[in-house]
Amino acid sequence: MITLYNTLTRQKETFEPIEPGKVKMYVCGPTVYNYIHIGNARPAINYDVVRRYFEYQGYEVVYVSNFTDVDDKLIKRSKELGESVETIADRYIDAFYEDVGALNVKKATSNPRVMNHMDDIIKFIKELVDQGNAYESGGDVYFRTRKFEDYGKLSHQSLNDLKVGARIEQGEQKEDALDFTLWKQAKPEEISWDSPFGKGRPGWHIECSVMAYHELGATIDIHAGGTDLQFPHHENEIAQSEAHNHAPFANYWMHNGFINIDNEKMSKSLGNFVLVHDIIKQIDPDVLRFFMISVHYRSPINYNVELVEAAKSGLERVRNSYQAIEEREAIATNIEDQSAYIEAIDDILKQFEAVMNDDFNTANAITAWYDLAKLANKYILENTTSTAVIERFKEVYKIFSDVLGVPLKSKESDMLLDEQVEALIEERNKARQNKDFARADEIRDDLKAQNIILEDTAQGVRFKRG
């Protein structure tokens, strides 16, 4: 039974999907005008873990995350670089895939783009106008916020409280300061589309509502994003979606905490704006991912060199213990008097599942992984080791690795193996010729521990990855 904290109700709730065995999940993606920063990486990693855990529990997950490829920032960048908005968006979408791929984030089921859904957006807005939930004014289209009685239910703010800080900006022709933009009239030389309201482009909030509706239907199970999106973005999504769809927009809302850099809020003005593209040139992406999940997703996280180094040490501890288990596999036997170890391993797995069932607590899940490593290090000191125990260790290590998305071996070590394996095979051949069978067997076992299997053929020794 999985429970998760629902921002809408401000409490943990048992997850009950709309369709049995299926999870429909929408995660707000980046605005693709630049490389993603570390703040974008946090939701990408956190909700990837959520997806992986649902899949581990047997759910089919339809995971949708959008790209905002039409936006003021993109238009500004287009003018600066003298390139089209679409060209810039294409470039940084490719960069996004490269960066999150390095962080071992699984590809979404779909990544809808605003430009590809313009007809759907225009139709959606027109229907809101026809229903009386929106209106045209001065070439723009606005949503009538007060007409949606539940406005403020996600951020837990009343309309009266919101009215205090609301104002009408120069050039806007709203009926009410609380109304928000669905369609913006085109400015000279800006990217635009034809519509019943005149040439223009969509407002930010309407984009996600339409793409979620198109990809997942009127009601979705989980909508997720950063805490900063609760208001006004997600609040406005709820209003326009539920007014249009006449159904709840999302049953569960998940929001991850902020990320600080050396205890300060990340911002360009402070000069601490950190791009993932740059970080992963200096830090192993696996370490960065391990660091990101070392804190519960709803809690703020502080990024600094010391904490990342601590995460690196923790990951090395896990990987070293796994390697030791693999090395013991070659000399394990079929003894059957070590069932207590299998029971202890299974207890740790239950501990892992319990904390993940409790609002996806990855911080405590890592503690369970450390417990597994501690038990593994104790076990390899035994005089004799059981094949069954070794296999169970490996199975549970793999479960933890797959769910948390952290590989058991570094990519760097794999590259070294590719370069060194032929030399090791040659050394083994010479050892066999010299009747140094102990060294030959040692090389074979070392390679096997690293998932490299040697095959003796008529053409000589070949290898393959296990």
Side-chain angles (χ1 to χ4, degrees), residues 106-153:
K106 295 175 68 173
K107 270 202 168 185
T109 309
S110 65
N111 290 116
R113 296 177 56 167
V114 177
M115 287 190 188
N116 296 338
H117 285 272
M118 200 57 65
D119 290 343
D120 299 319
I121 291 170
I122 291 168
K123 181 174 181 287
F124 198 101
I125 295 172
K126 187 175 185 306
E127 288 169 350
L128 284 171
V129 172
D130 292 344
Q131 294 165 5
N133 290 303
Y135 60 94
E136 299 177 58
S137 180
D140 298 323
V141 180
Y142 299 99
F143 183 84
R144 287 192 172 98
T145 300
R146 289 186 185 276
K147 190 165 183 182
F148 185 71
E149 294 180 358
D150 286 339
Y151 193 84
K153 66 180 178 180

Side-chain angles (χ1 to χ4, degrees), residues 427-444:
E427 183 183 346
R428 179 174 176 267
N429 289 339
K430 289 180 180 178
R432 293 172 73 182
Q433 290 170 5
N434 296 330
K435 300 188 184 315
D436 185 359
F437 299 114
R439 176 56 182 156
D441 290 343
E442 182 183 19
I443 292 171
R444 180 202 62 204

Side-chain angles (χ1 to χ4, degrees), residues 2-41:
I2 296 174
T3 62
L4 57 86
Y5 183 85
N6 190 352
T7 309
L8 187 66
T9 59
R10 294 293 197 271
Q11 63 184 12
K12 289 182 184 178
E13 299 177 3
T14 301
F15 177 73
E16 296 180 1
I18 298 166
E19 299 178 42
K22 187 173 184 178
V23 181
K24 295 192 292 184
M25 189 170 178
Y26 186 94
V27 178
C28 284
T31 301
V32 285
Y33 74 103
N34 198 352
Y35 296 107
I36 60 168
H37 54 71
I38 195 170
N40 301 130

Side-chain angles (χ1 to χ4, degrees), residues 172-416:
E172 293 182 329
Q173 299 180 39
K174 300 180 181 180
E175 294 176 354
D176 190 307
L178 291 175
D179 296 345
F180 59 88
T181 307
L182 302 177
W183 186 260
K184 297 182 177 183
Q185 184 181 33
K187 293 179 181 177
E189 298 181 4
E190 278 191 356
I191 188 170
S192 62
W193 286 262
D194 291 322
S195 80
F197 335 110
K199 292 182 75 68
R201 58 188 172 88
W204 175 36
H205 313 300
I206 194 66
E207 298 167 357
C208 284
S209 283
V210 175
M211 289 186 284
Y213 179 70
H214 184 271
E215 300 285 322
L216 298 170
T219 303
I220 60 181
D221 291 301
I222 298 172
H223 195 312
T227 296
D228 57 314
L229 298 180
Q230 278 188 52
F231 185 87
H233 185 52
H234 288 164
E235 197 73 71
N236 290 351
E237 279 189 64
I238 290 174
Q240 62 205 10
S241 293
E242 296 189 1
H244 177 275
N245 303 342
H246 307 290
F249 180 37
N251 289 335
Y252 304 91
W253 287 84
M254 299 178 69
H255 291 93
N256 60 274
F258 289 110
I259 184 162
N260 295 320
I261 310 295
D262 287 323
N263 294 309
E264 286 190 305
K265 183 178 179 180
M266 184 177 66
S267 71
K268 288 182 179 178
S269 61
L270 291 174
N272 63 357
F273 199 74
V274 184
L275 299 177
V276 173
H277 191 75
D278 296 328
I279 296 174
I280 60 178
K281 293 176 182 176
Q282 304 166 359
I283 297 172
D284 181 348
D286 294 343
V287 171
L288 182 59
R289 182 179 177 109
F290 195 76
F291 164 74
M292 286 289 201
I293 62 174
S294 66
V295 174
H296 188 270
Y297 77 92
R298 283 194 288 117
S299 300
I301 187 169
N302 185 45
Y303 176 89
N304 64 34
V305 174
E306 291 78 15
L307 293 173
V308 172
E309 280 298 315
K312 181 181 179 181
S313 298
L315 179 55
E316 286 175 351
R317 190 193 328 170
V318 167
R319 284 175 166 170
N320 289 341
S321 66
Y322 179 75
Q323 182 179 345
I325 285 292
E326 280 200 321
E327 289 170 354
R328 268 306 180 100
E329 185 176 25
I331 58 173
T333 63
N334 290 322
I335 56 173
E336 298 179 358
D337 60 348
Q338 294 183 333
S339 59
Y341 273 103
I342 291 182
E343 291 175 7
I345 295 167
D346 289 346
D347 285 343
I348 292 172
L349 177 58
K350 289 175 185 175
Q351 174 192 342
F352 176 86
E353 291 175 339
V355 298
M356 287 299 290
N357 283 338
D358 184 12
D359 197 27
F360 310 99
N361 195 328
T362 55
N364 289 346
I366 287 176
T367 298
W369 209 353
Y370 288 155
D371 289 345
L372 185 69
K374 183 178 179 181
L375 183 66
N377 290 336
K378 175 185 175 184
Y379 182 66
I380 60 176
L381 297 177
E382 295 280 355
N383 291 326
T384 55
T385 49
S386 160
T387 300
V389 174
I390 293 292
E391 283 302 312
R392 190 56 181 153
F393 264 119
K394 289 177 66 179
E395 288 167 1
V396 176
Y397 267 98
K398 189 172 188 307
I399 288 171
F400 290 6
S401 171
D402 289 347
V403 170
L404 298 178
V406 180
L408 289 166
K409 295 181 180 180
S410 71
K411 301 177 184 71
E412 289 181 3
S413 66
D414 285 345
M415 286 188 289
L416 289 172

Side-chain angles (χ1 to χ4, degrees), residues 7-74:
T7 309
L8 187 66
T9 59
R10 294 293 197 271
Q11 63 184 12
K12 289 182 184 178
E13 299 177 3
T14 301
F15 177 73
E16 296 180 1
I18 298 166
E19 299 178 42
K22 187 173 184 178
V23 181
K24 295 192 292 184
M25 189 170 178
Y26 186 94
V27 178
C28 284
T31 301
V32 285
Y33 74 103
N34 198 352
Y35 296 107
I36 60 168
H37 54 71
I38 195 170
N40 301 130
R42 190 175 192 195
I45 292 169
N46 287 148
Y47 300 125
D48 179 63
V49 173
V50 171
R51 172 193 187 173
R52 286 168 178 267
Y53 189 68
F54 272 123
E55 289 174 341
Y56 166 69
Q57 291 292 354
Y59 287 91
E60 174 195 352
V61 181
V62 183
Y63 188 98
V64 178
S65 185
N66 70 294
F67 291 125
T68 296
D69 58 358
V70 181
D71 162 274
D72 288 340
K73 293 175 182 176
L74 273 152

Side-chain angles (χ1 to χ4, degrees), residues 414-426:
D414 285 345
M415 286 188 289
L416 289 172
L417 287 172
D418 286 339
E419 296 171 2
Q420 295 174 354
V421 67
E422 293 289 356
L424 288 169
I425 290 173
E426 181 62 26

